[in-house]
Amino acid sequence: MSGIPAGVVTLQDYEAHAAQALDDGAWAYFSGGAGDEITLKDNRRAWDTLRLQARVLRPLAQGHTRSTLLGHTLAHPILLAPVAYQRMAHPDGELATAYAAAAQSAGLVLSTQASVSMEQVARAIVSDPGRGPLWFQLYLQPDRGVTQQLVRRAEAAGYEALVLTVDAPTSGARDRERRTGFKLPVGVRAVNLDGLPAQPPHQLEDGDSALFQGLLAQAPTWSDIEWLQGITRLPILLKGITHPDDAREALRCGVSAVMVSNHGGRTLDTLPATAHLLPAVADAVGSSLPLIVDGGIRRGTDVLKALALGARAVMIGRPYVHALATAGALGVAHVIRLLRDEFEIAMALTGCATLDQIGPHVLHLPAPR
Amino acid sequence: MSGIPAGVVTLQDYEAHAAQALDDGAWAYFSGGAGDEITLKDNRRAWDTLRLQARVLRPLAQGHTRSTLLGHTLAHPILLAPVAYQRMAHPDGELATAYAAAAQSAGLVLSTQASVSMEQVARAIVSDPGRGPLWFQLYLQPDRGVTQQLVRRAEAAGYEALVLTVDAPTSGARDRERRTGFKLPVGVRAVNLDGLPAQPPHQLEDGDSALFQGLLAQAPTWSDIEWLQGITRLPILLKGITHPDDAREALRCGVSAVMVSNHGGRTLDTLPATAHLLPAVADAVGSSLPLIVDGGIRRGTDVLKALALGARAVMIGRPYVHALATAGALGVAHVIRLLRDEFEIAMALTGCATLDQIGPHVLHLPAPR
Amino acid sequence: MSGIPAGVVTLQDYEAHAAQALDDGAWAYFSGGAGDEITLKDNRRAWDTLRLQARVLRPLAQGHTRSTLLGHTLAHPILLAPVAYQRMAHPDGELATAYAAAAQSAGLVLSTQASVSMEQVARAIVSDPGRGPLWFQLYLQPDRGVTQQLVRRAEAAGYEALVLTVDAPTSGARDRERRTGFKLPVGVRAVNLDGLPAQPPHQLEDGDSALFQGLLAQAPTWSDIEWLQGITRLPILLKGITHPDDAREALRCGVSAVMVSNHGGRTLDTLPATAHLLPAVADAVGSSLPLIVDGGIRRGTDVLKALALGARAVMIGRPYVHALATAGALGVAHVIRLLRDEFEIAMALTGCATLDQIGPHVLHLPAPR
Amino acid sequence: MSGIPAGVVTLQDYEAHAAQALDDGAWAYFSGGAGDEITLKDNRRAWDTLRLQARVLRPLAQGHTRSTLLGHTLAHPILLAPVAYQRMAHPDGELATAYAAAAQSAGLVLSTQASVSMEQVARAIVSDPGRGPLWFQLYLQPDRGVTQQLVRRAEAAGYEALVLTVDAPTSGARDRERRTGFKLPVGVRAVNLDGLPAQPPHQLEDGDSALFQGLLAQAPTWSDIEWLQGITRLPILLKGITHPDDAREALRCGVSAVMVSNHGGRTLDTLPATAHLLPAVADAVGSSLPLIVDGGIRRGTDVLKALALGARAVMIGRPYVHALATAGALGVAHVIRLLRDEFEIAMALTGCATLDQIGPHVLHLPAPR
């Protein structure tokens, strides 16, 4: 399980290897989606369905993939999305992922539910001069004190931004996972939450709605964003914005960036593919608010299309976990490199020498009828 | 066959179990549709194809799923559609279904062709304070006296409304069922029709159309609705309205509600999916006439979409029969609970705390080209 | 091979039985199409894709399926299309087909390439009072004398119209058939052409186009229609018209009716489905020229849709040949009866009591976006 | 492996035989495409999806398929596209292809990377009076001296035009090929490049983009076209133009013709099908610049559609290589003949006697909604 298997030449080639390497429950947890996985499949298909327009004989010398984001220079626009419990995929877990990200200059967003502590991850790569951005993902916990402790630790450890996930006040029904009877294996847990107070269960009365009277009674709202801004000077990104009005509200709130995401198809099935959501969000907030998109990005052409539709950067999730399960840090690094190489070919063949030459014109739109 | 099988976490998971539990004929009868089952499949696919628009950070505290319909308070907008001969699925038949409906506060529409008498079903649940609406479905029989007897019995037994099925003056060609040579098993029959006069067969002349000279010679028309209104004070609902003009006529007649239904794809193949029919009907009668929709509802997201398109409530048919065949009353109750739970998650993730916050805006429409 | 097999309840159910009954070559000949069989499949799919609009509680008493066509009363609008070499499907060949057509009051169009003589077929049914129209199909032969002989014989035998096939100046590339190395079996031939002079082969020069210098050098044109009208008083129908301009030209020429046909997908692949061609042809010639459509009609709903789009009648081809191969005359009669029964159900459930109540309004069109 | 196998009656029938005849690597090399092969499949499907409009009874006598292109008379509009390393498919390689092309009067475009020398190929057919055009394909090499040597040799050998491939400044990621670990077999090489200086590898610095700092640093631009025009009097065609603006630029540069090509789906995946690209290019340059199209042409109907959309001729690639691998020169000749025969049938059945009667009107467009 240590080297890159023969014949693996694309991100998706890791999938079959990961399915072999993981037990049924872990495979369902990492690769499954909500409901009938319509959104999960749509995320992929939507990128595939977009068509590119080739250009020829344009000047490509001095081309590169550099840009800046929240003041950080990006060598390329690929980030690793927050994924929980990575030690379930590989003994080194998030640590392997972090080393690979740094080696390939990819941004890293660590999950609150990481199975390696946020301090250990940060320590491993924070002083690597070639690394990309290092961000910490969190949920607003019903107990603000808990949230505040997590924020303080993230600041202390050297994380450069907070990524607040706002699209999951309740977790979705991941039916594939439930059918396997998935449980976390012994020894894998959300170590960052060790020692924090558990949430008191709400007392239900007969006939009540379990959901509305329970979990949702304390679901966060826009006012909680203001509170969070008040307790930290780290830039705040909102992950899970897909409605133009929510993006406008995020802009008004003064957040630093927005992640257009449907949570990888893991919360509510039949949400649109992010490729279909991104244009309206980009229209709504223009260039005032940097957009990062995830969901189904598997190909360099997908990265190009995402940027053409208005994103500044993309995140990948499942592909690097599949590579982690297959080949550890080496696999994760390989995946980032493959995606970047494919992206550069896509730029060249559409005649783009730099990221700012990428725009809607690289997409081929069917002629109106 | 008594408990809920392992791995059943959605309505559709019951399907394979029911296919095992039932013999070929009964399976074809309950699950089959007319013709090539194009409408049957379309009903499902149409809900799947609609896309939802997530919203974030909206106030969800105090959320609930309550509404009122024909003066009855509904705990949630899920009803059980009339299905004939349920003792073919389970020895307890309609009685098991009724207990489950009452336990889960779901409305129940009993079929004229029930295999348990309407009085026995009503007696079982009519005084349960937590139950939902209790309605009786009927066809207009060629002999008005027969119809009148059924109405009197329904009134006496405590049924709160009459659901008149108007879309089946002839039964459809359910070819799958016919290929199995399906016949009702010994001991299962439409007990509510016991002792009522059989319809005299029409004498056909050579070369005549069997259908037009036979059954259809006495097909009911709009004037029969007036007659029915004249003999009962129960609210009358029409089941099987799909054309806006028919909905307008129903409104003019003063019926209490309309069920937008293509009979679950069991009458005429290539009728549109009800999800495609509902909007024009809703446009035609606005909020003047409550609409209930059935056909292919399998997911909480489907319920949300139905309400977004103008329905006040939904009915499910095959899913609860599959659960009945698999696990009796327990299965039926499980199905209602699963659907309600999924519906609440869908409400929460689209930012709806109550039913009246559900509207067309929860649907994501593709940008016009 | 004599009775109707168990489980055959639709036209398409005969297909598998015919595939068994016929050898590979005959099966490929009867069921195959041109090229990749895209048009063959489209013909079917196009009817399936159209959606009907149900209507309820309309007066259906006194309904019937009668109409008139070229002065003949049709009991129902279903005709049997010309199909060559039917003795390859069943020893009784066209004779069995003719008896079945007459018994079910369906119109019959006999192929020039019938394997039973046109006189024998006519003799069998011409004086049956319940029969439908009896027409003779022919191609314009390069030698006008040959054509004239065929016309005289058709007149003498009692055929009531001539159906001139105009869409096949060259036969299509039926690749499936060619792959089997299909040849007519001993004893099956186009008996109507016995004793007629064979067409002299054209001398090709090197590098010439085989097709244009050969067969097409004498392809018939519109002026040949005038010639044909000059030698007979039988009504002339043109089979294979699909372009509105060709339909207008046919009207100007004074032909009696037009068959909108792509030759069952047997000539040029990727021609549109006839369901997609019919509306523009109907628009072009309005009610001035009766239209008959064929291609993929398998269901009563297809018949209803064809009439809704402007046809006065429909023809079926492969389905009755499949039934002939499976069960002889009994099978052919069964197929006609099944289709008529399904058609009557479709009329009833869309609220049409007579053919003249069928119109575009029975089709459900998706709302404009 | 010498004769045409039984049952091969279409171009695509050769595919399965070639898959058998070739080893995995060669098969992947010849038949594979870039990425997920979406463009590869789209190329095919796009032609299939277009619908033709049949016409009847039009004058077809004196029909033919002749035209002129760059002053050369074409017996028919089918050319063989440049394909490298054909000795991998058959020991005779490009020589067999050339003989077949000449015998069937098809144009031949020899690849720079041919495995038989350009002089040997030209010598074999240049004085055949029945042959079609003979053109040489080349890439602009970073070292202009190398390019100039190739041009001089092409001129000397009798090639009548230069086909400059402009859509591949970097080769695409042909993942299927890479998964097989494909390497050229011993004895097969690009013999035309023997003795020419190899390109010096660029020195990469750490963290640099391999692609932009390497290969693309010397990618050709429009100014290189002018340089090429300055060193030869042969007509120059640009292969790989798909954007209307690039076509306009090509026209301004004074090139003789343009090949609308996505490199057979071998460079960048998710480029549109050429059938979808051709119309806008044709609109942009009108009749001023002859257009040749390739990509997915497998049927005579595809050729007709390509001409209807504005092409003067078409090229085929994989089909003739599959035939070469299966049956050598005989196979290649067979493929050309099959395609031409199918094309003539398609012309006849759409009522076109000559190429100039082919236009957009032979396509059937769906009615606007």
Side-chain angles (χ1 to χ4, degrees):
Chain A
M1 209 195 282
S2 56
I4 294 170
V8 170
V9 301
T10 71
L11 271 62
Q12 285 164 298
D13 291 338
Y14 274 106
E15 208 168 303
H17 291 279
Q20 286 295 323
L22 298 171
D23 66 38
D24 285 357
W27 172 248
Y29 175 79
F30 284 127
S31 66
D36 297 311
E37 304 191 340
I38 290 171
T39 296
L40 178 62
K41 287 172 219 129
D42 260 18
N43 273 348
R44 273 294 313 130
R45 191 169 26 218
W47 298 117
D48 275 356
T49 303
L50 290 170
R51 291 286 167 270
L52 293 170
Q53 175 69 59
R55 297 305 300 267
V56 301
L57 298 171
R58 292 157 70 97
L60 296 173
Q62 273 81 50
H64 65 83
T65 61
R66 285 188 300 276
S67 66
T68 58
L69 185 63
L70 308 190
H72 200 110
T73 296
L74 303 182
H76 57 77
I78 302 167
L79 294 90
L80 302 191
V83 175
Y85 307 123
Q86 296 184 24
R87 289 190 54 231
M88 208 156 52
H90 189 274
D92 299 339
E94 289 81 357
L95 215 49
T97 296
Y99 281 122
Q104 293 292 337
S105 308
L108 177 73
V109 188
L110 189 78
S111 168
T112 286
Q113 290 166 292
S115 53
V116 177
S117 84
M118 66 170 103
E119 288 81 6
Q120 194 179 356
V121 169
R123 221 155 35 224
I125 64 165
V126 73
S127 49
D128 180 334
R131 71 165 171 87
L134 179 62
W135 300 342
F136 185 71
Q137 174 272 341
L138 79 167
Y139 291 95
L140 284 170
Q141 310 285 334
D143 178 338
R144 285 182 168 182
V146 170
T147 306
Q148 190 155 359
Q149 283 186 52
L150 289 168
V151 170
R152 291 288 164 263
R153 285 171 58 192
E155 291 168 338
Y159 290 87
E160 297 152 349
L162 297 175
V163 173
L164 191 71
T165 301
V166 294
D167 63 356
T170 169
S171 55
R174 293 201 296 273
D175 299 321
R176 203 200 317 172
E177 189 183 313
R178 289 158 70 201
R179 280 188 201 106
T180 67
F182 169 73
K183 285 205 171 53
L184 279 179
V186 175
V188 176
R189 65 181 195 284
V191 292
N192 291 314
L193 302 177
D194 281 359
L196 293 176
Q199 175 71 9
H202 183 91
Q203 281 307 104
L204 275 190
E205 294 179 43
D206 200 51
D208 264 4
S209 154
L211 189 65
F212 280 108
Q213 304 305 312
L215 195 57
L216 297 179
Q218 296 169 305
T221 64
W222 286 102
S223 63
D224 295 288
I225 308 298
E226 283 178 55
W227 167 81
L228 183 64
Q229 289 170 318
I231 66 158
T232 184
R233 300 182 61 178
L234 289 181
I236 295 172
L237 298 87
L238 299 189
K239 177 168 179 287
I241 299 282
T242 61
H243 194 289
D245 287 349
D246 287 341
R248 282 187 200 97
E249 184 65 25
L251 180 60
R252 264 192 299 273
C253 281
V255 304
S256 300
V258 149
M259 286 162 168
V260 177
S261 171
N262 54 30
H263 216 110
R266 293 169 77 81
T267 53
L268 183 63
D269 204 19
T270 72
L271 292 182
T274 47
H276 295 154
L277 291 162
L278 179 56
V281 174
D283 278 358
V285 296
S287 53
S288 320
L289 193 58
L291 302 178
I292 298 169
V293 71
D294 69 9
I297 301 275
R298 299 290 179 272
R299 286 288 188 179
T301 42
D302 301 344
V303 182
L304 184 72
K305 291 167 183 175
L307 270 58
L309 294 177
R312 302 268 189 100
V314 305
M315 292 197 296
I316 55 171
R318 291 180 183 86
Y320 83 78
V321 177
H322 295 159
L324 178 66
T326 305
L330 182 63
V332 177
H334 186 219
V335 148
I336 302 168
R337 184 76 231 178
L338 283 175
L339 190 61
R340 182 181 174 181
D341 285 350
E342 287 184 0
F343 174 53
E344 294 189 6
I345 293 176
M347 286 177 66
L349 296 179
T350 54
C352 301
T354 56
L355 300 202
D356 56 15
Q357 293 180 13
I358 301 171
H361 58 272
V362 308
L363 298 173
H364 179 267
L365 301 179
R369 272 178 45 192
Chain B
M1 209 195 282
S2 55
I4 294 170
V8 170
V9 301
T10 71
L11 270 61
Q12 284 163 299
D13 291 337
Y14 274 107
E15 207 168 303
H17 291 279
Q20 286 296 323
L22 298 172
D23 66 38
D24 286 357
W27 171 248
Y29 176 80
F30 285 127
S31 66
D36 297 311
E37 305 190 339
I38 291 171
T39 297
L40 178 62
K41 287 172 219 129
D42 260 18
N43 272 348
R44 272 296 312 129
R45 192 170 26 221
W47 299 117
D48 275 355
T49 303
L50 291 170
R51 291 286 167 272
L52 293 170
Q53 175 68 59
R55 297 304 300 266
V56 301
L57 297 171
R58 291 157 69 96
L60 295 173
Q62 272 82 51
H64 65 82
T65 61
R66 285 188 300 277
S67 66
T68 58
L69 185 63
L70 308 191
H72 200 111
T73 295
L74 303 182
H76 57 77
I78 302 167
L79 294 89
L80 303 191
V83 174
Y85 306 123
Q86 296 184 25
R87 290 190 53 230
M88 207 157 53
H90 189 275
D92 299 338
E94 289 81 358
L95 214 50
T97 297
Y99 281 121
Q104 291 293 337
S105 309
L108 177 72
V109 187
L110 189 78
S111 168
T112 284
Q113 291 166 291
S115 52
V116 176
S117 84
M118 65 170 104
E119 287 82 6
Q120 192 179 357
V121 169
R123 222 157 31 227
I125 64 166
V126 73
S127 48
D128 180 333
R131 71 165 171 89
L134 178 62
W135 299 342
F136 185 70
Q137 175 272 339
L138 80 166
Y139 291 95
L140 285 170
Q141 311 285 332
D143 178 338
R144 286 183 167 182
V146 171
T147 305
Q148 191 155 359
Q149 283 186 52
L150 288 168
V151 170
R152 290 288 165 264
R153 285 171 59 192
E155 291 168 337
Y159 289 88
E160 297 151 349
L162 297 174
V163 172
L164 191 71
T165 301
V166 294
D167 64 355
T170 169
S171 56
R174 293 201 297 271
D175 298 321
R176 202 197 321 168
E177 187 183 314
R178 288 159 69 202
R179 281 188 201 106
T180 67
F182 168 72
K183 286 205 171 54
L184 279 179
V186 175
V188 176
R189 65 182 195 284
V191 293
N192 291 314
L193 303 177
D194 280 358
L196 293 176
Q199 176 70 11
H202 183 90
Q203 281 307 103
L204 274 189
E205 294 179 42
D206 199 52
D208 264 4
S209 155
L211 188 66
F212 281 108
Q213 304 305 313
L215 194 58
L216 297 179
Q218 295 167 306
T221 65
W222 286 103
S223 62
D224 295 288
I225 308 298
E226 283 179 55
W227 168 81
L228 183 64
Q229 289 170 317
I231 66 158
T232 184
R233 299 180 62 176
L234 288 182
I236 295 172
L237 298 88
L238 299 189
K239 177 168 179 287
I241 299 283
T242 61
H243 194 290
D245 288 349
D246 287 342
R248 282 188 200 98
E249 184 64 25
L251 180 59
R252 262 192 300 273
C253 281
V255 305
S256 300
V258 148
M259 285 161 168
V260 177
S261 172
N262 54 30
H263 215 111
R266 293 169 75 82
T267 54
L268 183 64
D269 204 19
T270 72
L271 292 182
T274 47
H276 295 154
L277 291 162
L278 178 56
V281 174
D283 278 358
V285 296
S287 54
S288 321
L289 194 59
L291 301 178
I292 298 169
V293 71
D294 69 9
I297 301 274
R298 298 291 180 274
R299 287 288 190 179
T301 43
D302 301 343
V303 181
L304 184 72
K305 291 166 183 175
L307 270 58
L309 294 176
R312 302 268 189 100
V314 305
M315 292 197 296
I316 55 171
R318 290 179 184 87
Y320 82 77
V321 177
H322 295 159
L324 177 66
T326 305
L330 182 62
V332 177
H334 186 220
V335 148
I336 302 168
R337 184 77 231 178
L338 283 175
L339 190 60
R340 182 181 175 182
D341 285 349
E342 287 184 1
F343 173 53
E344 294 188 7
I345 293 175
M347 285 178 67
L349 295 179
T350 54
C352 301
T354 56
L355 300 201
D356 56 15
Q357 293 179 14
I358 300 172
H361 58 273
V362 307
L363 298 172
H364 180 266
L365 301 179
R369 274 179 43 192
Chain C
M1 209 196 280
S2 55
I4 294 170
V8 170
V9 301
T10 71
L11 271 62
Q12 284 163 299
D13 291 337
Y14 274 107
E15 210 169 302
H17 291 279
Q20 286 295 322
L22 298 171
D23 66 38
D24 286 357
W27 171 248
Y29 176 80
F30 285 126
S31 66
D36 297 311
E37 305 191 338
I38 291 171
T39 296
L40 178 62
K41 287 172 220 126
D42 262 17
N43 273 348
R44 273 295 312 130
R45 191 169 26 220
W47 298 117
D48 276 355
T49 303
L50 291 170
R51 291 286 168 272
L52 293 170
Q53 175 69 59
R55 297 304 300 267
V56 300
L57 297 172
R58 291 157 70 97
L60 295 173
Q62 272 83 49
H64 65 82
T65 62
R66 286 187 300 276
S67 66
T68 58
L69 185 63
L70 309 190
H72 200 111
T73 295
L74 302 183
H76 56 78
I78 303 167
L79 293 89
L80 302 191
V83 175
Y85 307 125
Q86 296 185 24
R87 290 191 52 231
M88 208 156 53
H90 189 276
D92 299 337
E94 289 81 357
L95 215 49
T97 297
Y99 281 121
Q104 292 292 336
S105 308
L108 177 72
V109 188
L110 189 78
S111 168
T112 284
Q113 290 165 292
S115 52
V116 176
S117 84
M118 65 171 105
E119 287 81 7
Q120 195 179 353
V121 168
R123 219 153 38 221
I125 63 165
V126 74
S127 47
D128 179 333
R131 71 165 170 89
L134 178 61
W135 299 343
F136 185 70
Q137 175 272 341
L138 80 166
Y139 290 96
L140 285 170
Q141 309 286 332
D143 179 338
R144 286 183 167 182
V146 171
T147 305
Q148 191 154 359
Q149 284 185 51
L150 289 169
V151 170
R152 290 287 164 265
R153 286 171 59 192
E155 291 168 338
Y159 289 88
E160 297 152 350
L162 297 175
V163 173
L164 191 71
T165 301
V166 293
D167 63 356
T170 169
S171 56
R174 292 201 297 269
D175 299 321
R176 200 194 327 166
E177 187 183 314
R178 289 159 68 203
R179 282 188 201 107
T180 66
F182 168 72
K183 286 206 170 55
L184 279 179
V186 175
V188 175
R189 65 181 197 283
V191 293
N192 290 315
L193 302 177
D194 280 357
L196 294 177
Q199 176 70 11
H202 183 90
Q203 281 306 105
L204 274 190
E205 294 180 42
D206 199 52
D208 264 4
S209 155
L211 188 67
F212 281 108
Q213 304 305 312
L215 195 59
L216 297 179
Q218 295 168 305
T221 64
W222 286 103
S223 62
D224 294 288
I225 308 298
E226 284 179 53
W227 168 81
L228 183 65
Q229 289 171 318
I231 66 159
T232 184
R233 299 181 64 178
L234 289 182
I236 295 172
L237 297 88
L238 299 189
K239 176 167 178 288
I241 299 284
T242 60
H243 195 290
D245 288 348
D246 287 342
R248 282 188 199 97
E249 184 64 25
L251 181 59
R252 263 192 298 273
C253 281
V255 304
S256 300
V258 149
M259 284 160 169
V260 177
S261 173
N262 53 30
H263 215 110
R266 293 169 76 82
T267 54
L268 183 63
D269 204 19
T270 72
L271 292 182
T274 46
H276 295 154
L277 291 162
L278 179 56
V281 174
D283 278 357
V285 296
S287 54
S288 320
L289 194 58
L291 302 178
I292 299 169
V293 71
D294 69 8
I297 300 275
R298 298 291 179 273
R299 286 287 189 180
T301 42
D302 301 344
V303 181
L304 184 72
K305 291 166 183 177
L307 271 57
L309 293 176
R312 301 268 188 101
V314 304
M315 291 198 296
I316 55 171
R318 290 179 184 86
Y320 83 78
V321 177
H322 295 160
L324 178 66
T326 305
L330 183 63
V332 178
H334 186 219
V335 149
I336 302 168
R337 184 77 231 178
L338 282 175
L339 191 60
R340 182 181 175 183
D341 285 349
E342 287 184 1
F343 173 54
E344 294 189 6
I345 294 175
M347 286 178 65
L349 295 180
T350 54
C352 301
T354 56
L355 299 201
D356 56 14
Q357 292 180 14
I358 300 172
H361 58 274
V362 308
L363 298 173
H364 180 267
L365 301 178
R369 275 179 42 191
Chain D
M1 209 197 283
S2 55
I4 294 170
V8 170
V9 301
T10 71
L11 270 63
Q12 284 163 299
D13 291 337
Y14 274 107
E15 210 169 300
H17 292 278
Q20 286 295 323
L22 298 171
D23 67 38
D24 286 357
W27 171 247
Y29 176 79
F30 285 127
S31 66
D36 298 310
E37 305 191 339
I38 291 171
T39 296
L40 178 62
K41 285 172 220 129
D42 260 18
N43 273 347
R44 272 296 313 130
R45 190 169 27 219
W47 299 117
D48 275 355
T49 303
L50 291 171
R51 291 286 168 269
L52 293 170
Q53 175 69 58
R55 297 304 300 267
V56 301
L57 298 171
R58 290 157 70 97
L60 296 173
Q62 272 82 50
H64 65 81
T65 61
R66 285 187 301 277
S67 66
T68 59
L69 185 63
L70 308 189
H72 199 110
T73 295
L74 303 183
H76 57 78
I78 302 167
L79 294 89
L80 302 191
V83 175
Y85 306 125
Q86 296 184 25
R87 289 190 53 232
M88 208 157 51
H90 189 275
D92 300 337
E94 290 80 358
L95 215 49
T97 298
Y99 281 121
Q104 292 293 337
S105 308
L108 177 73
V109 187
L110 190 77
S111 168
T112 285
Q113 290 166 292
S115 54
V116 176
S117 84
M118 66 170 104
E119 288 81 6
Q120 194 179 355
V121 169
R123 221 153 37 224
I125 63 164
V126 74
S127 49
D128 180 333
R131 72 165 170 87
L134 179 62
W135 299 343
F136 185 69
Q137 176 271 341
L138 79 166
Y139 291 95
L140 284 170
Q141 310 285 332
D143 178 338
R144 285 183 167 182
V146 171
T147 306
Q148 191 155 1
Q149 284 186 51
L150 288 168
V151 169
R152 291 286 165 266
R153 285 170 59 190
E155 291 168 338
Y159 289 87
E160 298 152 349
L162 297 174
V163 173
L164 191 71
T165 301
V166 294
D167 62 357
T170 170
S171 56
R174 292 201 296 272
D175 299 321
R176 202 197 322 170
E177 188 182 314
R178 290 159 68 202
R179 281 189 202 107
T180 67
F182 169 72
K183 286 204 170 55
L184 280 178
V186 175
V188 175
R189 64 181 196 285
V191 294
N192 291 315
L193 303 177
D194 280 357
L196 294 176
Q199 176 71 11
H202 183 91
Q203 280 307 104
L204 275 191
E205 294 180 42
D206 200 52
D208 264 4
S209 155
L211 187 67
F212 280 109
Q213 304 304 311
L215 194 58
L216 296 179
Q218 296 168 306
T221 64
W222 285 103
S223 63
D224 295 288
I225 308 298
E226 284 178 53
W227 167 82
L228 182 65
Q229 289 170 318
I231 66 158
T232 185
R233 299 181 63 178
L234 288 182
I236 295 173
L237 298 88
L238 298 189
K239 177 169 178 287
I241 300 283
T242 61
H243 194 288
D245 287 349
D246 287 342
R248 283 187 199 98
E249 184 64 26
L251 181 60
R252 263 192 300 273
C253 282
V255 304
S256 300
V258 149
M259 286 160 167
V260 177
S261 173
N262 53 31
H263 216 109
R266 292 169 75 83
T267 54
L268 183 64
D269 203 19
T270 72
L271 292 181
T274 47
H276 296 154
L277 291 162
L278 179 55
V281 175
D283 277 358
V285 297
S287 54
S288 320
L289 194 58
L291 302 178
I292 298 169
V293 72
D294 69 7
I297 300 275
R298 298 290 180 272
R299 286 288 188 178
T301 42
D302 301 343
V303 182
L304 183 72
K305 291 167 183 175
L307 271 58
L309 293 177
R312 301 268 189 101
V314 304
M315 292 198 296
I316 55 171
R318 290 179 184 86
Y320 83 78
V321 177
H322 295 159
L324 177 65
T326 305
L330 182 63
V332 178
H334 185 220
V335 148
I336 302 167
R337 184 77 232 178
L338 283 175
L339 191 60
R340 182 182 175 182
D341 285 349
E342 287 184 1
F343 173 53
E344 294 189 5
I345 293 175
M347 286 177 66
L349 296 180
T350 54
C352 301
T354 57
L355 299 201
D356 56 13
Q357 292 179 13
I358 301 171
H361 58 273
V362 308
L363 298 174
H364 179 267
L365 301 180
R369 275 178 42 191

